[in-house]
Amino acid sequence: DTGVSQDPRHKITKRGQNVTFRCDPISEHNRLYWYRQTLGQGPEFLTYFQNEAQLEKSRLLSDRFSAERPKGSFSTLEIQRTEQGDSAMYLCASSSNRGRGHSGNTIYFGEGSWLTVV
Amino acid sequence: TQLLEQSPQFLSIQEGENLTVYCNSSSVFSSLQWYRQEPGEGPVLLVTVVTGGEVKKLKRLTFQFGDARKDSSLHITAAQPGDTGLYLCAGDRTGGFKTIFGAGTRLFVKA
């Protein structure tokens, strides 16, 4: 399978603990995105990378959140001192800037990582 | 305030009926995408529309991009229970690479 993969799929953690999610994008894609989705809502943009550079961060991404993409391939999203309000599905997506004029910036999602903070 | 407004929010119909869902904005988008999402899974891409006025068909699904590239619609003919899910529109504005999403239309098709 050469799609976007995320790990772990589910994580239950106690409030105050740190958690880290990993995303492996589609191999030829140079852009990588993180979104958060809560029940009944569409995905909310958190941040995106072009290669290893983090080009934009949402105001939703508080200082407890940090994302990295050190070699321009896989990415990690770490949440420190988790709070119950962090409970959500964290979605990773990737895209390529090749041929954008014909296909738009279409992004492809992984299956998501569910976080439950108790 | 959502930059992309989807309507209706919820739709419950009988198998065999037709339906249209809408995605509207006051901003111009260089492209719009439609995704379908099932509970506990990531969104799955259905289509990308790029050119104003463009119409794309995918079996019983017809997608249209508005002439001004500010809105889009998804029409489903003869809906089936397998069409049940959350339909999301998404787009990136001209000159940007950040894809934003609407809140979605939750469709339930009863057998």
Side-chain angles (χ1 to χ4, degrees):
Chain A
D1 188 338
T2 56
V4 179
S5 63
Q6 293 188 241
D7 182 69
R9 290 292 316 279
H10 300 91
K11 178 74 176 178
I12 300 173
T13 191
K14 291 184 178 179
R15 190 175 52 184
Q17 297 293 305
N18 299 343
V19 296
T20 300
F21 299 111
R22 176 181 168 123
C23 172
D24 287 89
I26 294 171
S27 58
E28 63 268 26
H29 284 184
N30 60 339
R31 294 204 186 105
L32 186 147
Y33 303 77
W34 285 100
Y35 287 81
R36 180 171 68 188
Q37 187 177 24
T38 53
L39 210 59
Q41 298 297 318
E44 295 175 295
F45 172 81
L46 293 179
T47 188
Y48 96 93
F49 293 84
Q50 178 150 313
N51 301 312
E52 65 275 8
Q54 188 173 19
L55 296 187
E56 190 167 347
K57 290 170 61 172
S58 164
R59 283 170 290 178
L60 292 173
L61 214 64
S62 76
D63 56 7
R64 295 185 298 105
F65 288 70
S66 62
E68 294 183 345
R69 195 183 183 198
K71 298 180 181 178
S73 56
F74 73 92
S75 175
T76 57
L77 176 68
E78 182 183 17
I79 309 173
Q80 295 181 325
R81 304 181 304 280
T82 52
E83 302 172 356
Q84 287 184 320
D86 297 333
S87 295
M89 182 159 70
Y90 290 85
L91 289 161
C92 178
S94 68
S95 72
S96 170
N97 65 341
R98 295 191 196 91
R100 182 188 172 183
H102 298 288
S103 62
N105 186 44
T106 300
I107 63 175
Y108 298 86
F109 283 91
E111 293 185 322
S113 292
W114 275 104
L115 173 64
T116 303
V117 182
V118 297
Chain B
T1 302
Q2 291 274 7
L3 203 58
L4 282 169
E5 297 283 346
Q6 290 192 242
S7 61
Q9 287 184 296
F10 304 98
L11 193 54
S12 180
I13 61 171
Q14 288 292 138
E15 182 176 6
E17 291 184 6
N18 301 333
L19 67 119
T20 303
V21 298
Y22 300 93
C23 176
N24 295 297
S25 177
S26 57
S27 298
V28 176
F29 289 85
S30 58
S31 68
L32 274 179
Q33 292 82 41
W34 284 92
Y35 293 82
R36 179 168 163 269
Q37 185 178 26
E38 297 198 32
E41 303 293 329
V44 175
L45 178 72
L46 296 173
V47 79
T48 296
V49 285
V50 179
T51 306
E54 181 177 5
V55 176
K56 281 191 174 178
K57 292 193 175 184
L58 187 68
K59 298 184 180 177
R60 295 177 293 103
L61 278 60
T62 302
F63 305 85
Q64 185 161 9
F65 200 10
D67 291 340
R69 291 185 290 133
K70 293 182 179 182
D71 53 81
S72 181
S73 64
L74 158 59
H75 181 80
I76 302 179
T77 304
Q80 298 176 359
D83 296 327
T84 293
L86 178 66
Y87 288 83
L88 294 159
C89 73
D92 55 306
R93 287 182 287 179
T94 303
F97 300 104
K98 181 177 78 176
T99 299
I100 58 172
F101 282 78
T105 293
R106 191 164 297 279
L107 172 66
F108 182 66
V109 182
K110 294 174 281 189

